[in-house]
Amino acid sequence: MTTPRRRSASGLATRLLAGQSIVLIAGALTAGIVAAIIGPPIFHDHLLRAGHQQNAPELVHIEMAYRDASLISVGIGLVISLLAAGAVTWFLARGLRRPLAQVTQAARKLSGGHYATRVPAVGSGTEFETLADAFNTMAARLEGVEDTRRRMLSDLAHELRTPIATLSAYHDGLHDGIAELGPESRVALAEQTDRLARLADDIDDVSTAQEGRLGLDPRTLPVADLLWAAHEGMRDRYAEHGVNLVIDTSFAAGLHVRADRPRMGQVLTNLLTNALRHTPGGGTVTVAAGRDRDEATITVTDNGDGMTPEQLEHAFERFYRGDTARTRDRTGSGIGLTISKAIVDAHGGSLTASSEGPGAGASFEVALPAVPG
């Protein structure tokens, strides 16, 4: 059990005033001691130079007057300085207390799970504005993470519900003697079991990728080989759905990247699977290679459903899938794009998505550092 930290009973104003008072008193004492040690001999010497006798009675009174005047001056100066310090401290504490209280209150709410909490514009200087902006940025990211977590749990429950319900129904039917374990039952049970296994593998893959635990074996590869390998792996599935798969290698001549072949094959398979899910029969998906400065690019473009700005924003989040995809193909787990982005990031590249809007198709571009062949 964590022991709560003891809070200091003194406030910010008290501590500021105490600090300034210590500095002022130390300064006054230092000035007084220095004046008491150095001042009288110098003053006495000047009196002698002015014609006063060494043992003259008025000399003692003059020196006493000098000493008393010095002490009174230092004392009055100290009192005035303490009053000024108190006024300045009050003014500063008054200006700091409100923004600090706002940030503290917001932090408490945020720690309590209220991720929509934001710090209003405090208007107390650049430093506090920077602090408020940093706090609000952190809160926004935490809110996004929490939204993603909730959506992930909801989608994960959705993905598990269908195979579990099917397996449970067959189990009850077999137990009650309503259903028999025939060829059709075996196929249905195998499909649902495979679906659960595939989901578990996808979750493990995305965790491994995002945690940087991918085991890569990078080699220099022609980009054209990657495109044709992806075409061979997806050609039959595209034919079954009546979607045209076009490979454009017109700009791939002499273009090489250093990458792990199986992992990059996994990336392209995921992108082509996603494009197939969003493209109706008769549509076309094009895979093209190109060069952008020092990078080799592979672009997967379809003329299918397209994406809204919100879908583009969440395209690479775990378990996120557009509603239009669900109407045609419910086999995807919504993790493929997340895994693909993590793999490309591990190669030192980038994966981006773009779309002109619903019905205008979508494009995914993989960019990797180009290397000599």
Side-chain angles (χ1 to χ4, degrees):
M1 182 176 178
T2 304
T3 303
R5 296 176 62 183
R6 239 180 122 181
R7 295 185 182 178
S8 174
S10 59
L12 176 63
T14 304
R15 293 195 297 272
L16 284 175
L17 181 59
Q20 293 194 64
S21 298
I22 292 173
V23 173
L24 290 173
I25 292 173
L29 289 175
T30 302
I33 293 172
V34 171
I37 295 174
I38 299 177
I42 296 176
F43 186 70
H44 181 78
D45 182 64
H46 278 283
L47 288 176
L48 294 178
R49 292 182 181 181
H52 293 278
Q53 297 298 321
Q54 176 70 31
N55 297 320
E58 69 274 9
L59 194 64
V60 176
H61 293 287
I62 294 173
E63 291 180 344
M64 289 179 61
Y66 168 78
R67 183 188 61 190
D68 293 342
S70 299
L71 292 176
I72 292 173
S73 300
V74 171
I76 293 175
L78 178 61
V79 172
I80 294 175
S81 298
L82 289 174
L83 292 175
V88 171
T89 299
W90 176 83
F91 177 78
L92 290 176
R94 185 168 176 267
L96 295 176
R97 188 179 294 113
R98 180 169 170 268
L100 286 175
Q102 290 177 335
V103 174
T104 301
Q105 184 179 10
R108 288 174 179 169
K109 289 183 178 180
L110 191 67
S111 65
H114 302 283
Y115 298 109
T117 303
R118 299 291 185 273
V119 177
V122 293
S124 298
T126 304
E127 292 79 5
F128 277 101
E129 292 295 340
T130 302
L131 175 62
D133 291 342
F135 182 93
N136 291 337
T137 300
M138 177 188 69
R141 290 183 178 178
L142 287 175
E143 186 178 19
V145 170
E146 180 64 14
D147 290 342
T148 301
R149 184 188 67 83
R150 291 174 180 173
R151 186 168 56 250
M152 180 185 72
L153 292 176
S154 175
D155 288 344
L156 182 58
H158 173 83
E159 296 296 335
L160 292 173
R161 190 176 294 117
T162 299
I164 290 176
T166 303
L167 293 173
S168 178
Y170 272 101
H171 177 271
D172 292 341
L174 293 172
H175 183 270
D176 296 336
I178 300 175
E180 295 182 357
L181 190 60
E184 294 183 358
S185 300
R186 290 179 184 274
V187 171
L189 292 173
E191 287 179 352
Q192 299 306 320
T193 303
D194 291 343
R195 184 173 180 180
L196 288 175
R198 185 170 61 251
L199 180 61
D201 291 340
D202 285 347
I203 294 174
D204 181 65
D205 283 346
V206 74
S207 298
T208 300
Q210 291 190 329
E211 291 171 9
R213 295 185 288 112
L214 281 175
L216 299 178
D217 181 20
R219 300 184 181 184
T220 302
L221 305 171
V223 173
D225 288 358
L226 293 175
L227 268 59
W228 285 116
H231 175 269
E232 291 300 317
M234 296 294 296
R235 179 178 55 186
D236 293 339
R237 289 183 58 185
Y238 269 70
E240 291 176 2
H241 289 78
V243 177
N244 300 313
L245 179 57
V246 178
I247 303 296
D248 182 3
T249 59
S250 55
F251 295 98
L255 198 58
H256 294 76
V257 294
R258 188 162 179 79
D260 184 294
R261 181 184 287 272
R263 289 297 186 183
M264 289 309 302
Q266 182 180 2
V267 169
L268 294 178
T269 297
N270 288 339
L271 294 179
L272 288 174
T273 300
N274 179 76
L276 178 61
R277 186 180 299 120
H278 288 271
T279 305
T284 300
V285 175
T286 303
V287 185
R291 178 186 288 272
D292 184 6
R293 297 181 180 177
D294 296 332
E295 291 184 327
T297 61
I298 300 175
T299 307
V300 178
T301 306
D302 65 72
N303 58 357
D305 300 323
M307 304 175 73
T308 64
E310 181 183 3
Q311 289 172 332
L312 284 173
E313 182 180 355
H314 300 288
F316 299 106
E317 292 180 2
R318 297 184 187 187
F319 298 103
Y320 185 83
R321 296 187 303 180
D323 292 337
T324 54
R326 294 183 184 271
T327 61
R328 269 196 301 276
D329 186 353
R330 298 176 180 268
T331 61
S333 63
I335 304 180
L337 292 179
T338 308
I339 297 174
S340 299
K341 181 170 176 57
I343 292 174
V344 175
D345 289 343
H347 282 81
S350 62
L351 175 58
T352 56
S354 61
S355 176
E356 296 296 328
S363 179
F364 289 83
E365 182 182 87
V366 177
L368 295 172
V371 299

